[in-house]
Amino acid sequence: MSTYNIVSSDNDSTVVAEYAAEYRTGKDYQSEAQLERDFIKQLGEQGYEYISVTDEAGLVLNLRHQLETLNGYIFTDSEWTQFFANAIANKNEGIVEKTRKIQDDYVQILKRDDNTTKNIILIDKKNIHNNRLQVLNQYETADGIRANRYDVTVLVNGLPLVHIELKRRGVAIREAFNQINRYQRESFWASSGLFEYVQLFVISNGTHTKYYSNTTRFQHIKESGGDTRRSKKKTSNSFEFTSYWADSTNKVIADLLDFTKTFFAKHTILNILTRYCVFTAEELLLVMRPYQIAATERILNRIEVANNYKKYGSLAGGGYIWHTTGSGKTLTSFKTAQLATALTYIDKVLFVVDRKDLDYQTMREYDRFEKGAANSNTSTAVLKRQLEDPTAKIIITTIQKLGVFIGKYKNHAIFAKRIVLIFDECHRSQFGDMHQGITKAFKKYHLFGFTGTPIFSVNAGTGGNPLLRTTKQAFGDKLHTYTIVDAINDGNVLPFRIDYVNTIKMTDNIQDAQVRAIDTEKAMAAPGRITEVVSYVLEHFDQKTKRQSFYSHRGRHVAGFNSIFAASSIPLACQYYAEFKRQLEESGRNLNIATIYSFSVNEEEPDEEFDNDKLDKTSREFLEAAIADYNVTFATNFNTSSDKFQNYYKDLSLRVKNREVDLLIVVNMFLTGFDATTLNTLWVDKNLKHHGLIQAFSRTNRILNSVKTFGNIICFRNLKKATDDAIALFGDREAGGIVLLKTYDDYYNGYDLPAARLPDGQGEAGQDGKHKAGYKELIEQLLAEYPLGIAILGETAKKAFIALFGAILRLRNILTAFDEFAGNEILSELDLQDYQSLYIDIYQEFRPKDDSDKENINDDIIFEIELIKQIEVNIDYILMLVAKYHESNCTDKEILAAIDKAVSSSIELRSKKELIEGFISRVNTSTQVDNDWRKFVEEQKESDLAALITDEKLKEEETRRFIGNSFRDGALKTTGTDIDKILPPVSRFGGGNRQEKKQGVIAKLFGFFEKYLGLV
């Protein structure tokens, strides 16, 4: 390491360099109340002021005093009344508006009694220690849907900005998470709504502690019920997006006392609130994870140290960050760029990508973090203007455009300025002439690289400059590391499940597995083999991509996931595309497939260009034809010419992300730097190794929802050794057990947990080193303890059944991706439907039915409804049974029983039960099932909608347009102005609580929408 690299481990560092957990002898029992007392005592020792405030009046009075102290100004009573009503507790503002007030608009205007104005700051972001920290507990609210009492709240200048819910040791912290969800539905908005200012939540059971923001990734999983201001911010499924705190070595700090000493250290919590949260253009609050904060501060520290010792313009003034693919490098780089531009001696920050599409993609991401914060460019001329513009502080550009600029304007004034250059995915083409050109041109640069897969000597190429082959040679010291093992352990990315499918038949006398896997590309490209591979893919496509699971994605109702097929060469990709098209046409099956490729010098390395002029004539003509197919499918107008091909790439990437493309065939493109949460499967007929292998595999392991539990890799070549080597290189020698999913036998028959490891993201206490029951054992327990036909009596027994069947659903979700599971399900389809019916019955029993349901508090129950949805029957299956009933001359009552059983086992179809039963009652010997069903649904829909409009006095034209758009989008959007446009004027509500009446209308709209969703 550099002589001058002072590691930022002083009191100003947000993430402690390395934390040694304090040794504590265990006690026989610690109650939740004792845990709370110990927590508050620790905060007091760290300088927090404890205040005994348990009601709204005391909270508001304290807030006034704190703001007066912070601003050095005493409000008159009339000034405080209007400031509180307008600037703090505005009745028209909710969580989003109040979050914006803390993150962006923290300076509010006070209109004084003499009609002059004064700036009042709610939080001091320049001098964070001017903010005062207080703690209160057992705050009571009686105004919401029901009375609640909150555990512990941290106030910053009198505003509740951090809320902590505690459970006693041995209780799952998921219960605390569920409890906060309930508070958000029931009471955080009540009275003056001050608890809607909470930015961060902390949940703990003493043993495990996690934190998350007030809008934790709720856009990934929409609320299944009402999407109102009170309920939309959370779903129980977003628990998987909560984070552990850690030190800079990524060692989790889980115990509440240790967490308190680090996370709740004054400078740490204030830095997180004021510097390391990002309120996005989509109105989501992202709180950075500890490794992201540590990397940002290491870079800023390196810049400051290099500035002090005049080390800029050399490797000692820079370094690289090794953060695994999928860990949020773009957010880290954005915050780094944002904070670096705030340094007075830094003129500009250049964020450099190595492909044109990433220029566009990064700009979109930066714009999402803060609209207008960064500047992208379409040409070198635009780049030149931005470099000369003093207001353009953050510039995103490609290495190619920067290289052209350097060659064209050798004596430009920018080269003498203080510039921070941040290279994205610096494992690729920065190792070359352009890298040298940039470092020679800029005189006072700070050079930083971000990579998920660094180049070490073992995976370095043999060509090019021997002094620039490794990441360290090109960028300097490694400043921070967060490997794929860290990310999987933290639950930030998913593990991989790898199938090796042997498609080459070798002679029996070849014993060596390596020799067996070696064959010529000619054999690999044999038409018979390609036919066999395509047949395998199509046969297993629905299974691997889980097409039986349904979820909402970007406002659309979609089934399952999508996939990429990686071919070893352009000719092979062309053969595969043609064969997929042929087999799909023969079978009459409808899958959207597409392909994309471009010229590449080395097809073994996943780098890419956009220059199709270098393609041979056959390859280009084939690509032109494939794009023509795409144009027909999606009504677009692309071709292989330079500009239109780039637009094809962008359009294709968006359609893959939106799950509109089912299978994308590539050679090198899309195997690096492309993120799509809906991708879960990679089919590989290509030799991959080292960083190329990890990068390609990592396209599949982004977190989306509880159905997607791993990335599926299906290899048609023997990549086992290459996989093991890559995981060892970018994880460690023992990483295989973490990065790769366990075996079929482990999940089916059970396995022993390793000692001293946090269980898979659940935060459960006391699980280490124990046996993890397999599917077979759990089914045996289910059949023994809950035989069908015998009622489950009592709340305790029902909760135990929910826990057991939920565990079975989670295992079944994984096992269905294994070919071996077919025929070994143990439960028959009918028995599974019966258990699902029972599960849904209990779900609906425990689920709060309406706001008046005062006693229904079940924070300790976790329902796997997303997993139920993925194995349920659909309306086509029901219509098939109706047709069988019709064929029996409407006499076979067993079919009616089967229909009833199937409908009862489905969350989706229960809302349609009345429709289905109404149709069956009309079925006679002359019925044409499919046609008459469609007519019946249309008639009933029209009748129900007309009645809804009349009964609720809704505006007819606006309501019909609103409902039509909802069915088109697959989601009923009840936020924003659209819903208000269909409601009658205020006076026509006939007095009373307008908000309550509005919620009643929304509830009826949801009932109507669910009844007809998927049918019209």
Side-chain angles (χ1 to χ4, degrees):
M1 292 188 72
S2 165
T3 311
Y4 301 101
N5 179 29
I6 299 170
V7 178
S8 55
S9 57
D10 58 15
N11 287 335
D12 291 324
S13 180
T14 305
V15 178
V16 65
E18 192 164 1
Y19 185 79
E22 194 173 294
Y23 177 74
R24 288 180 287 280
T25 54
K27 296 179 181 178
D28 291 338
Y29 179 79
Q30 183 184 37
S31 67
E32 187 179 315
Q34 184 60 51
L35 185 68
E36 186 175 301
R37 284 194 293 272
D38 292 347
F39 173 58
I40 292 171
K41 179 172 178 284
Q42 180 63 38
L43 289 177
E45 291 172 2
Q46 292 175 199
Y48 288 64
E49 176 195 358
Y50 176 77
I51 58 169
S52 183
V53 169
T54 57
D55 60 18
E56 166 103 345
L59 190 64
V60 174
L61 182 62
N62 177 68
L63 172 61
R64 175 175 177 173
H65 292 329
Q66 294 301 314
L67 290 179
E68 287 176 342
T69 302
L70 178 65
N71 290 277
Y73 179 79
I74 305 298
F75 297 100
T76 66
D77 288 346
S78 62
E79 286 173 348
W80 172 250
T81 300
Q82 66 90 6
F83 182 76
F84 182 76
N86 296 329
I88 292 177
N90 192 313
K91 294 293 184 186
N92 294 319
E93 295 178 345
I95 291 175
V96 166
E97 294 78 12
K98 288 168 183 173
T99 299
R100 182 179 291 111
K101 210 163 275 190
I102 295 300
Q103 296 300 324
D104 300 330
D105 304 332
Y106 50 89
V107 179
Q108 293 289 304
I109 306 298
L110 166 69
K111 187 176 181 183
R112 294 194 278 205
D113 287 344
D114 61 5
N115 283 328
T116 61
T117 58
K118 175 177 174 55
N119 287 347
I120 299 294
I121 63 170
L122 303 182
I123 187 167
D124 191 336
K125 295 202 172 188
K126 290 183 179 176
N127 302 295
I128 61 169
H129 289 289
N130 286 343
N131 301 296
R132 298 187 66 192
L133 294 172
Q134 298 171 300
V135 59
L136 58 82
N137 69 322
Q138 298 303 310
Y139 181 90
E140 295 183 38
T141 175
D143 287 343
I145 293 172
R146 66 162 57 82
N148 281 312
R149 182 184 293 170
Y150 310 145
D151 283 355
V152 183
T153 307
V154 168
L155 309 178
V156 180
N157 306 325
L159 284 170
L161 296 192
V162 187
H163 182 69
I164 304 98
E165 259 329 289
L166 302 172
K167 293 293 173 187
R168 63 177 171 78
R169 293 180 191 273
V171 174
I173 58 172
R174 181 97 175 230
E175 289 190 27
F177 181 86
N178 292 345
Q179 199 163 325
I180 288 171
N181 285 353
R182 182 164 58 77
Y183 291 161
Q184 286 194 316
R185 289 195 304 272
E186 295 173 355
S187 56
F188 276 168
W189 47 268
S191 300
S192 300
L194 291 179
F195 273 80
E196 288 190 312
Y197 276 101
V198 172
Q199 303 292 283
L200 303 177
F201 293 105
V202 174
I203 49 177
S204 180
N205 59 7
T207 308
H208 293 146
T209 310
K210 301 185 86 175
Y211 72 100
Y212 58 99
S213 78
N214 64 8
T215 55
T216 296
R217 300 208 184 197
F218 75 91
Q219 80 274 30
H220 282 276
I221 310 153
K222 296 295 183 187
E223 193 72 52
S224 57
D227 191 20
T228 67
R229 185 186 109 180
R230 295 177 187 176
S231 68
K232 75 174 182 180
K233 292 303 171 194
K234 286 286 187 298
T235 72
S236 59
N237 292 307
S238 58
F239 175 80
E240 61 200 340
F241 296 108
T242 57
S243 298
Y244 284 107
W245 189 245
D247 64 16
S248 67
T249 68
N250 307 313
K251 186 171 73 179
V252 169
I253 301 172
D255 186 271
L256 180 60
L257 181 59
D258 298 322
F259 182 93
T260 307
K261 287 182 175 180
T262 51
F263 184 87
F264 279 111
K266 275 187 164 183
H267 67 278
T268 297
I269 191 64
L270 289 170
N271 264 339
I272 293 170
L273 287 168
T274 60
R275 284 165 69 89
Y276 296 117
C277 285
V278 175
F279 189 55
T280 72
E282 296 170 338
E283 299 182 329
L284 294 173
L285 184 66
L286 306 180
V287 56
M288 291 175 73
R289 296 185 172 118
Y291 61 88
Q292 294 173 312
I293 296 172
T296 301
E297 293 193 334
R298 294 280 173 89
I299 290 176
L300 295 172
N301 176 258
R302 180 55 69 100
I303 293 171
E304 292 201 44
V305 169
N307 181 61
N308 293 339
Y309 289 96
K310 303 290 186 288
K311 286 287 179 180
Y312 41 77
S314 71
L315 287 185
Y320 74 93
I321 302 294
W322 173 9
H323 280 188
T324 193
T325 305
S327 60
K329 293 191 294 294
T330 309
L331 175 60
T332 311
S333 69
F334 169 78
K335 182 52 74 172
T336 302
Q338 195 182 52
L339 295 175
T341 55
L343 297 172
T344 55
Y345 50 84
I346 295 298
D347 294 298
K348 289 188 188 298
V349 175
L350 289 183
F351 189 80
V352 187
V353 297
D354 73 337
R355 298 207 309 264
K356 292 173 185 175
D357 65 295
L358 289 181
D359 184 5
Y360 163 78
Q361 193 173 304
T362 306
M363 186 66 207
R364 284 187 64 204
E365 284 291 296
Y366 271 31
D367 254 358
R368 189 170 73 86
F369 298 144
E370 185 185 340
K371 194 77 176 167
N375 305 268
S376 65
N377 34 71
T378 53
S379 67
T380 306
V382 177
L383 172 61
K384 178 176 180 289
R385 281 202 301 274
Q386 290 169 349
L387 290 170
E388 292 166 354
D389 180 358
T391 64
K393 291 289 189 182
I394 302 174
I395 298 170
I396 302 168
T397 191
T398 62
I399 195 169
Q400 293 85 354
K401 280 196 282 261
L402 191 56
V404 171
F405 174 84
I406 289 167
K408 202 170 181 180
Y409 305 101
K410 294 189 185 299
N411 299 313
H412 199 280
I414 193 69
F415 297 132
K417 302 267 189 183
R418 293 289 298 281
I419 305 294
V420 174
L421 292 124
I422 300 174
F423 284 76
D424 184 39
E425 296 296 356
C426 66
H427 62 270
R428 293 199 296 256
S429 58
Q430 284 80 314
F431 302 90
D433 294 337
M434 282 190 277
H435 180 281
Q436 284 182 290
I438 289 165
T439 53
K440 282 179 181 175
F442 289 94
K443 308 302 179 206
K444 299 178 179 179
Y445 64 82
H446 298 270
L447 187 65
F448 296 99
F450 278 82
T451 180
T453 48
I455 303 294
F456 304 113
S457 57
V458 67
N459 62 314
T462 55
N465 188 334
L467 300 178
L468 283 175
R469 282 185 186 155
T470 69
T471 306
K472 182 177 173 64
Q473 284 177 314
F475 290 92
D477 296 329
K478 180 176 65 183
L479 302 181
H480 193 257
T481 302
Y482 186 76
T483 69
I484 189 169
V485 176
D486 297 320
I488 291 171
N489 274 336
D490 288 350
N492 291 330
V493 297
L494 301 171
F496 303 116
R497 182 191 167 235
I498 305 178
D499 278 324
Y500 297 101
V501 181
N502 187 10
T503 57
I504 295 286
K505 290 182 170 59
M506 306 294 287
T507 54
D508 293 336
N509 60 356
I510 300 179
Q511 299 300 319
D512 191 309
Q514 278 188 307
V515 174
R516 182 176 292 274
I518 296 171
D519 209 320
T520 63
E521 200 62 36
K522 183 180 177 184
M524 292 291 183
R529 177 178 177 274
I530 288 174
T531 299
E532 190 181 332
V533 169
V534 171
S535 297
Y536 180 90
V537 172
L538 293 179
E539 183 184 340
H540 294 83
F541 190 86
D542 288 359
Q543 172 202 0
K544 301 298 184 187
T545 59
K546 292 191 172 287
R547 287 305 170 100
Q548 295 305 309
S549 75
F550 295 88
Y551 59 96
S552 180
H553 180 67
R554 300 188 177 187
R556 292 171 59 246
H557 195 61
V558 295
F561 310 110
N562 51 356
S563 64
I564 286 178
F565 189 106
S568 62
S569 66
I570 290 173
L572 197 63
C574 296
Q575 286 178 267
Y576 271 119
Y577 181 85
E579 183 62 22
F580 271 110
K581 281 285 191 183
R582 187 187 68 79
Q583 290 196 25
L584 285 169
E585 191 175 339
E586 274 186 8
S587 65
R589 193 169 171 190
N590 185 25
L591 282 182
N592 283 336
I593 70 165
T595 187
I596 189 167
Y597 51 78
S598 65
F599 179 79
S600 179
V601 177
N602 180 6
E603 289 182 338
E604 292 265 326
E605 291 292 321
D607 292 332
E608 58 204 53
E609 295 183 18
F610 282 85
D611 186 1
N612 285 321
D613 291 336
K614 295 179 183 177
L615 283 174
D616 64 82
K617 186 169 181 285
T618 304
S619 298
R620 183 158 185 172
E621 286 176 353
F622 191 95
L623 183 58
E624 196 78 56
I627 294 175
D629 291 344
Y630 182 91
N631 290 337
V632 171
T633 303
F634 296 110
T636 51
N637 184 29
F638 303 116
N639 58 41
T640 61
S641 64
S642 182
D643 289 344
K644 288 200 171 184
F645 185 68
Q646 286 180 49
N647 290 331
Y648 171 60
Y649 185 106
K650 291 176 184 178
D651 192 77
L652 179 59
S653 68
L654 285 174
R655 292 190 193 277
V656 173
K657 289 180 181 186
N658 288 337
R659 224 241 58 187
E660 295 174 70
V661 173
D662 297 301
L663 178 71
L664 174 62
I665 301 169
V666 302
V667 179
N668 292 318
M669 285 183 159
F670 284 81
L671 294 183
T672 59
F674 175 72
D675 289 345
T677 55
T678 61
L679 270 171
N680 85 320
T681 301
L682 177 71
W683 316 88
V684 185
D685 191 13
K686 175 183 179 72
N687 293 327
L688 294 167
K689 62 182 180 181
H690 298 142
H691 51 283
L693 183 144
I694 293 293
Q695 287 285 337
F697 283 17
S698 295
R699 298 314 102 212
T700 66
N701 72 341
R702 301 299 187 271
I703 289 174
L704 176 64
N705 55 26
S706 60
V707 179
K708 186 182 177 186
T709 51
F710 52 86
N712 247 329
I713 313 295
I714 293 90
C715 296
F716 298 108
R717 302 189 181 203
N718 191 345
L719 298 182
K720 189 169 190 323
K721 185 177 187 307
T723 301
D724 293 344
D725 290 347
I727 290 169
L729 181 63
F730 297 112
D732 57 55
R733 288 289 162 195
E734 306 302 317
I738 298 166
V739 178
L740 303 181
L741 211 63
K742 296 187 182 303
T743 65
Y744 171 80
D745 188 63
D746 286 338
Y747 289 116
Y748 196 81
N749 296 312
Y751 59 91
D752 293 328
L753 282 167
R757 229 193 106 202
L758 290 174
D760 303 329
Q762 294 299 310
E764 303 280 355
Q767 295 275 324
D768 298 345
K770 291 189 177 180
H771 179 71
K772 189 84 171 175
Y775 176 81
K776 186 178 177 183
E777 296 164 89
L778 293 181
I779 293 291
E780 287 169 358
Q781 184 184 346
L782 178 75
L783 295 172
E785 296 181 10
Y786 305 101
L788 289 170
I790 298 177
I792 301 174
L793 302 175
E795 185 175 305
T796 302
K798 287 177 180 178
K799 287 183 177 180
F801 168 76
I802 289 298
L804 175 60
F805 196 66
I808 289 169
L809 287 172
R810 288 191 293 275
L811 277 175
R812 186 184 171 90
N813 179 46
I814 294 171
L815 285 167
T816 51
F818 288 86
D819 297 348
E820 305 97 296
F821 188 59
N824 292 305
E825 299 92 341
I826 304 174
L827 282 183
S828 70
E829 191 174 333
L830 287 178
D831 286 350
L832 178 64
Q833 285 183 358
D834 282 341
Y835 277 116
Q836 278 181 218
S837 298
L838 189 56
Y839 188 82
I840 297 168
D841 286 341
I842 298 173
Y843 166 69
Q844 293 180 335
E845 177 185 333
F846 281 107
R847 187 185 187 189
K849 291 158 188 68
D850 54 50
D851 292 350
S852 64
D853 186 8
K854 300 291 183 190
E855 302 306 317
N856 204 335
I857 303 173
N858 291 291
D859 302 320
D860 56 337
I861 301 178
I862 300 160
F863 286 101
E864 299 291 354
I865 294 305
E866 268 194 327
L867 299 184
I868 278 284
K869 286 181 179 179
Q870 70 141 334
I871 52 176
E872 62 183 15
V873 296
N874 58 26
I875 195 69
D876 293 333
Y877 175 73
I878 299 297
L879 290 177
M880 181 192 75
L881 292 179
V882 173
K884 282 188 178 179
Y885 175 65
H886 175 258
E887 287 165 9
S888 75
N889 290 319
C890 307
T891 58
D892 192 336
K893 302 304 178 189
E894 284 187 13
I895 296 176
L896 292 182
I899 291 172
D900 184 65
K901 187 175 285 194
V903 170
S904 296
S905 73
S906 165
I907 281 278
E908 296 283 334
L909 293 185
R910 279 194 175 200
S911 62
K912 302 168 178 39
K913 188 170 186 177
E914 181 189 340
L915 261 182
I916 293 166
E917 289 176 345
F919 179 64
I920 291 172
S921 69
R922 293 187 178 193
V923 172
N924 56 46
T925 53
S926 63
T927 300
Q928 293 181 304
V929 174
D930 285 345
N931 290 339
D932 289 356
W933 165 253
R934 280 194 291 274
K935 288 178 192 171
F936 176 76
V937 168
E938 280 301 328
E939 288 168 8
Q940 289 297 119
K941 172 177 163 275
E942 178 54 37
S943 172
D944 286 355
L945 183 56
L948 180 59
I949 290 169
T950 303
D951 293 348
E952 299 299 329
K953 302 179 177 64
L954 304 179
K955 298 173 185 172
E956 182 165 358
E957 186 180 340
E958 288 84 350
T959 302
R960 289 184 180 278
R961 188 182 306 118
F962 175 77
I963 287 293
N965 291 341
S966 297
F967 283 126
R968 180 198 67 199
D969 298 336
L972 193 80
K973 295 172 183 172
T974 58
T975 53
T977 58
D978 285 352
I979 188 70
D980 292 315
K981 287 177 184 173
I982 75 173
L983 298 174
V986 178
S987 59
R988 292 180 64 192
F989 273 112
N993 186 330
R994 184 178 192 277
Q995 185 66 18
E996 194 175 306
K997 296 283 177 74
K998 177 179 174 180
Q999 296 311 316
V1001 170
I1002 287 173
K1004 289 185 177 180
L1005 285 170
F1006 263 110
F1008 174 83
F1009 180 72
E1010 287 181 359
K1011 183 175 180 179
Y1012 291 100
L1013 179 63
L1015 304 183
V1016 295

